[in-house]
Amino acid sequence: MKFYHLLSAVLALCLSVLSAKAQNAGPQTPEQQEKQMLEFVDKEVQRLSTMLELEYWQEFYVDSTLTHDLKAMSAELESMQKAKVENRDLYVTVQDKWMQQIDNSYKRFFTPEQWAKYWKSGGKRAQEARDKRNNKNTKKKK
């Protein structure tokens, strides 16, 4: 369930940036976007650290992973928005790609016990949902 919290927070962060721009309701400045993302990363690092009893070096890697991957995902989504991509499935595909990248990174530096706990807390369900969407999109293309 907590993984869905992460996923929904990431989606909300990205969508809030995109919707504010789309509505011309005073888009956030890059500094505001950066601040909002860093606050989210800090909260997520703290949540995972508490839940998984992370070592200091693992907290650093979680922070680095989230900071890098969320910035890259946001940039990719923003470029799609600027290109006026209207297909919602493409946005979800990009988000799934980056969430998969985050999971792959976590798996490299979490201990087997931490990974199992993370996986049980929602990572497995999120992976299954990504796989289901991917299979659905693959079938559409055929």
Side-chain angles (χ1 to χ4, degrees):
M1 187 65 155
K2 292 188 182 213
F3 188 80
Y4 285 114
H5 174 69
L6 166 65
L7 182 59
S8 65
V10 169
L11 293 175
L13 175 67
C14 293
L15 293 176
S16 69
V17 169
L18 294 175
S19 67
K21 288 182 179 185
Q23 295 174 358
N24 290 329
Q28 292 183 325
T29 65
E31 293 81 17
Q32 290 170 323
Q33 292 173 12
E34 178 83 9
K35 182 180 177 190
Q36 187 177 15
M37 189 204 54
L38 292 176
E39 287 172 358
F40 168 76
V41 168
D42 287 342
K43 287 178 186 176
E44 186 61 15
V45 169
Q46 184 59 43
R47 183 186 74 80
L48 289 173
S49 182
T50 301
M51 181 177 76
L52 303 176
E53 300 174 5
L54 298 179
E55 300 285 335
Y56 178 76
W57 65 270
Q58 291 173 309
E59 289 179 8
F60 172 79
Y61 280 118
V62 169
D63 186 282
S64 298
T65 296
L66 288 174
T67 301
H68 173 270
D69 290 354
L70 293 179
K71 281 183 184 180
M73 180 177 70
S74 180
E76 190 169 347
L77 291 171
E78 190 170 328
S79 70
M80 289 173 64
Q81 191 265 337
K82 285 180 181 177
K84 302 201 187 299
V85 173
E86 294 181 8
N87 185 341
R88 181 184 172 277
D89 291 339
L90 294 176
Y91 288 92
V92 173
T93 300
V94 168
Q95 291 167 345
D96 283 350
K97 175 184 82 170
W98 285 105
M99 296 311 293
Q100 183 65 51
Q101 177 64 33
I102 290 169
D103 275 357
N104 292 343
S105 296
Y106 285 173
K107 193 169 186 175
R108 286 195 305 260
F109 56 81
F110 284 172
T111 65
E113 295 80 18
Q114 290 168 330
W115 178 253
K117 192 171 184 178
Y118 173 78
W119 200 240
K120 277 184 174 179
S121 74
K124 182 178 181 182
R125 280 175 281 169
Q127 180 64 53
E128 289 169 349
R130 285 193 299 265
D131 290 344
K132 184 177 179 180
R133 284 189 296 270
N134 186 33
N135 290 338
K136 180 181 170 185
N137 289 337
T138 302
K139 287 180 183 178
K140 280 184 181 180
K141 291 178 183 178
K142 288 184 179 180

